[in-house]
Amino acid sequence: MFDVDNAIELLKQCKQIPEKDVYELCTKVQELLIKESNVEILDTPVTICGDIHGQLHDLITLFATVGELPLKKYLFLGDFVDRGFYSLESLLLLLCYKIRYPDRITLIRGNHESRQITTVYGFYDECLRKYGSANVWRYCCEVFDYLSLGALINGQVFCVHGGLSPDLTSINQIKLIDRKQEVPHEGAMCDLLWSDPDDVPSWGISPRGAGYLFGSNEVSKFLHQNDLSLIARAHQLVMEGYKELFDGDLVTVWSAPNYCYRCGNVAAVLTIDDDLKRNYTIFEASLQDVSNIPSKKPAIDYFL
């Protein structure tokens, strides 16, 4: 039988768990995720975390800084994998926590939780290098297909990886999307995972090649239409760890410090308390022994 507590300890030490355990873990997580809505309903207090991107030591620092499970409740906004050296361990650790404390951690999908993206930006190669075949990568990709597309905190704070879509005016429309698929190249599901806020009057063309740019008018309309007070999202590097836009109607949270081990940024998480007050926690990259960092071919650059 799969021992989740033992797996957690091994993964925190950057040690591999057997392939059969990865399969069993992914299968168990799918059984949990299939019961979750496209937009998970969460209560306060909850801590919102942005991109992790395979930076395992910084993920461990995050928990040590903010509070360990199950004492704290967490929402992760996707992009668990790619770019960092420990994408597999980071993802599997979060999946283990999901099994161990299913009501204390929520995972939603980012644009990197995709077969196409992970074959380009490192996760596929990492799985191949560590296990000698693509089996583990396939198990993980099947989990990606079951991840929710967003979350709603106290009916007031809408959380998503990327942003808004011109095809969506209400959260109820998001609930009708068939999420159990590879991320499409266009359409509402794609936009939720790829779009970015910007200083545009309405909708703009995204330089990422997927999703849209959306401005303050679209944010105001979406908040009003859905009786919301805040949109919390990730997806973009923020040197200060977080950035509030549009008079505080939207916030970007970034939780990968010193992104790609070279950007020099700090990271942040956002805790929403019972009064919907926002509390930001800033943390820096963990000190790592560079001799222990595995060799890998450099990742292809794209929009940070």
Side-chain angles (χ1 to χ4, degrees), residues 154-200:
N154 280 24
Q156 287 285 297
V157 181
F158 176 57
C159 304
V160 66
H161 177 72
L164 303 180
S165 169
D167 294 339
L168 298 169
T169 57
S170 76
I171 288 177
N172 285 335
Q173 289 175 293
I174 301 174
K175 296 176 181 177
L176 300 176
I177 295 172
D178 177 12
R179 76 175 192 265
K180 298 178 186 68
Q181 58 173 312
E182 172 71 346
V183 180
H185 295 293
E186 59 185 9
M189 179 172 166
C190 171
D191 299 342
L192 291 169
L193 274 54
W194 279 93
S195 293
D196 293 299
D198 204 348
D199 186 18
V200 291

Side-chain angles (χ1 to χ4, degrees), residues 210-245:
Y212 289 86
L213 300 178
F214 58 95
S216 60
N217 289 337
E218 299 306 324
V219 170
S220 295
K221 283 193 290 186
F222 192 83
L223 292 177
H224 177 74
Q225 174 81 19
N226 296 278
D227 195 23
L228 302 170
S229 60
L230 175 67
I231 296 172
R233 43 91 66 178
H235 193 43
Q236 283 178 300
L237 170 64
V238 180
M239 295 302 291
E240 302 81 15
Y242 72 94
K243 184 176 183 180
E244 293 188 348
L245 297 171

Side-chain angles (χ1 to χ4, degrees), residues 14 50-60 78-92 94 112-113 121 123 126 130 255-257 259-261 288 294 296:
C14 292
D51 296 29
I52 299 301
H53 280 299
Q55 296 182 199
L56 176 69
H57 298 85
D58 299 317
L59 176 60
I60 293 170
D79 279 13
F80 317 115
V81 301
D82 285 337
R83 296 201 178 277
F85 293 125
Y86 302 102
S87 288
L88 185 57
E89 290 84 358
S90 299
L91 173 65
L92 295 181
L94 291 171
H112 278 260
E113 277 68 62
Y121 294 106
F123 183 53
E126 181 182 327
K130 291 177 177 176
S255 302
Y259 180 44
C260 295
Y261 312 106
Q288 287 178 245
K296 60 176 277 189

